[in-house]
Amino acid sequence: METNLVIEGFKFMGLGMGTVFLFLIILIVMMNFMSTIVNKFFPEPQPNETTRANTQNKNKKVVAAVTAAIKHHRS
Amino acid sequence: MKLFVLKLLALLFISFGTLHASAAPVSAESMSAHQEETYQTKPFSEMVGGFLKSTGVNAILNPDPNEVGAHGEEMSDFHKSWGRVLMILVTFLLFYLAIKKGFEPLLLLPIAFGGLLANIPVANIAGAHGFLGVIYNMGLSNEMFPILIFMGVGAMTDFGPLLSNPKTALLGGAAQFGIFGTLVGAVALSQMGFVDFTLQQASAISIIGGADGPTSIFIATKLAPELLGAIAVASYSYMAMVPIIQPPIMKALTTDAERKIKMTTLRHVSRLEKLVFPVMVLVLAIAVLPASTPLIGAFMFGNFLKESGVVERLNDTLQNALINTVTIFLGLGVGSKLAANEFLVPDTMFIMALGIVAFSVGTASGVIMAKIMNLFPGHKVNPLIGSAGVSAVPMAARVSNKVGMEYDRTNMLLMHAMGPNVAGVIGSAVAAGVLISLFQ
């Protein structure tokens, strides 16, 4: 009997997509698990609040300036 | 002169006559006598005539019936003559695309120039002893260069966006549908009798849908080296055309409201997470699919060096010097496969056509996957980042960002799209591993 290549192709597809998704789903579970563990037991030292707020303010200012510049450029 | 030859002949006669003479000196002496005889003084006119016969113009106008291809195969007269001229014109077109249109010039230029050199008659640069042939045998036929490129790409990749939103990895998986969808398409075409692709060849072609140059080259050299030139050219030229191919598909599959979805800000990812990640992926690959570990292992090696933060020099070499050097060799080596007798075949046309189908299907399935994910509770995903699931780092992510900005200027999707983008690289490496394992 002649082998039906199209059916072979679909078999490849099933196996291939199955493996890709299996791999990535396990990876997602592992990533979530790993992140939980790392953040619980080995948290990074947080920069103190005031500097953070400062940089955020600065960022906002930068964003505002950039947006204004873009608007000006486009008008 | 005559005396010398006579002496040699006498010596030969004696040695033939002597029973104890060994065979080796005989052949050596007869050789030297032969060499003495072949060079005869010729009149100048004959010399000029002989020289004219060795010119490129003559080689193209009167193809040499005894000439064989780079691998000793028969060539038709067309491939020896006007086919070469045509291919040289094709490489000029590639030059134009690379320089003027900016189509992945880093690879397309070396590939095109390699193609130009490979189509030179007489010189046989792509043959086993020409320098292109040497480069090909040095690093392409044994799949070395794509692996080295993967190390460099690993060192350039930041998995932060993926780690802060892991579920976007599914988008990178869905886009691999482009690979397997095209595989079915390619075998269907050969079933219907349009072309004659084997399953190996069909698999090598379909990997173009992974939109990952090194993976395509890796698989092509492993499964169908005869199609390497066409597959590499298709792969890189479509990667360059991502900004043209993807947006219409993305817009057709999404509604206006979906395109304006704002995604939650990415959380900060700690250094330790980034350091553990490459090892984790590799361990998973070892457990699930060892056939994919050459690609994933090299990729994660590069990334691990980068994230370790203690080998800045090695990291710098991987990202710059090594990847640049290998890119030159890879390009020239692939270019050697643009010889007329290997490229100017009907298969090439089908590969080009199937390649674009692979790209489009991959893009579409990424977008559709994002829409499916939105049916479930949880943070909504903007479907525009689904298209970034085809690897093409970082071009595909930039396209998502650009299309998103067209509808809402404040909607920055770039970092969100990098997640599926790098997951796409892992996804296509896994898909490649599956294909390899199926043919072992």
Side-chain angles (χ1 to χ4, degrees), chain B residues 2 19 42 69 85 104 115 131 133 145 153 162 177 195 199 223 269 273 276 297 299 308 311 314 368-369 390-391 440:
Chain B
K2 243 182 186 172
L19 253 170
K42 279 180 283 188
V85 178
E104 296 278 325
F131 78 90
F145 290 155
V153 175
L162 179 64
F177 200 75
V195 270
L199 262 180
L223 299 179
V269 178
E273 284 175 81
V276 173
F299 191 58
S308 73
V311 283
L314 303 188
I368 292 168
M369 185 69 193
V390 303
S391 323
Q440 265 170 359

Side-chain angles (χ1 to χ4, degrees), chain B residues 53-139:
Chain B
K53 271 189 190 149
S54 72
T55 55
V57 174
N58 181 61
I60 282 168
L61 294 179
N62 308 306
D64 173 7
N66 299 319
E67 192 184 357
V68 289
H71 308 285
E73 70 277 16
E74 290 284 317
M75 290 165 81
S76 70
D77 275 355
F78 171 72
H79 286 142
K80 282 179 203 166
S81 53
W82 294 108
R84 282 186 165 143
V85 178
L86 193 61
M87 272 316 290
I88 289 175
L89 293 177
V90 167
T91 62
F92 289 171
L93 173 72
L94 291 177
F95 289 160
Y96 171 77
L97 289 178
I99 297 168
K100 185 80 184 173
K101 298 277 173 187
F103 276 19
E104 296 278 325
L106 284 177
L107 256 148
L108 217 48
L109 263 190
I111 290 180
F113 213 97
L116 173 58
L117 295 175
N119 282 296
I120 297 172
V122 184
N124 200 15
I125 300 177
H129 299 290
F131 78 90
L132 285 186
V134 172
I135 289 175
Y136 182 83
N137 289 328
M138 179 169 82

